[in-house]
């Protein structure tokens, strides 16, 4: 009996709820322009949400910039911190002269050690 009650239904394929009486939240469409490929990407956000300044281009996956009217938004990148490399952090702790001296000491040690090794088969 239970087998017959589900005949003709696709489980999980369709919702049995109707959209009667449902009030959708207000939405806004924002356009993003990709500086790499020059194509526009349109995204729909809630009217209450603040649109991000950048979005991933759906054509080339590079950064697309939010359009305000017919012009792209001017991004203020002054707040972004430039990542420091290991070399930059090392130079904060030691001078180049100190690094050259340490390098020379280490090279001398390795050369001395190599000379002391026995040459074997």
């Amino acid at each position: 009996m239970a087998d017959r009650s589900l005949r003709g239904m696709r489980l999980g394929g369709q919702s049995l709820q109707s959209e009667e009486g449902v009030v959708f939240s207000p939405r806004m469409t924002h356009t993003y322009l990709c500086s790499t490929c020059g194509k526009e990407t349109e995204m729909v956000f809630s009217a209450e949400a603040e649109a991000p300044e950048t979005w991933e281009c759906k054509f080339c996956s590079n950064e697309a910039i939010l359009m305000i009217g017919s012009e792209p938004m001017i991004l203020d990148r002054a707040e972004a911190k430039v990542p420091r490399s290991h070399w930059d952090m090392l130079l904060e702790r030691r001078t180049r002269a100190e690094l050259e001296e340490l390098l020379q000491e280490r090279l001398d040690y390795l050369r001395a050690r190599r000379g002391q090794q026995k040459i074997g088969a």
Side-chain angles (χ1 to χ4, degrees):
M1 186 78 165
D3 295 332
R4 293 186 208 159
S5 63
L6 296 177
R7 185 178 296 167
M9 274 300 287
R10 288 177 280 161
L11 290 176
Q14 293 177 325
S15 173
L16 299 176
Q17 293 181 330
S18 68
E19 293 183 5
E20 256 180 62
V22 174
V23 179
F24 293 106
S25 64
R27 299 171 192 259
M28 290 187 67
T29 301
H30 295 283
T31 305
Y32 292 86
L33 177 67
C34 180
S35 58
T36 306
C37 68
K39 295 185 180 179
E40 292 184 351
T41 301
E42 289 191 352
M43 297 301 301
V44 179
F45 295 99
S46 169
E48 299 170 359
E50 184 177 332
E53 295 176 346
T54 60
W55 197 262
E56 183 179 315
C57 176
K58 65 181 180 181
F59 300 100
C60 67
S61 298
N62 287 319
E63 187 177 74
I65 300 172
L66 178 65
M67 298 287 288
I68 299 177
S70 62
E71 295 294 318
M73 177 181 210
I74 298 171
L75 298 177
D76 181 23
R77 303 231 188 230
E79 298 172 7
K81 291 178 85 176
V82 177
R84 296 183 309 166
S85 68
H86 293 291
W87 179 248
D88 295 331
M89 290 185 266
L90 184 62
L91 288 177
E92 289 175 4
R93 297 189 306 268
R94 301 196 187 265
T95 65
R96 278 189 171 266
E98 289 174 325
L99 291 172
E100 287 177 13
E101 183 182 335
L102 288 171
L103 175 64
Q104 192 58 48
E105 286 176 13
R106 189 66 183 164
L107 287 173
D108 292 342
Y109 169 76
L110 290 173
R111 287 180 184 136
R113 198 175 102 196
R114 187 178 343 143
Q116 292 174 359
Q117 289 179 349
K118 293 180 183 177
I119 300 174

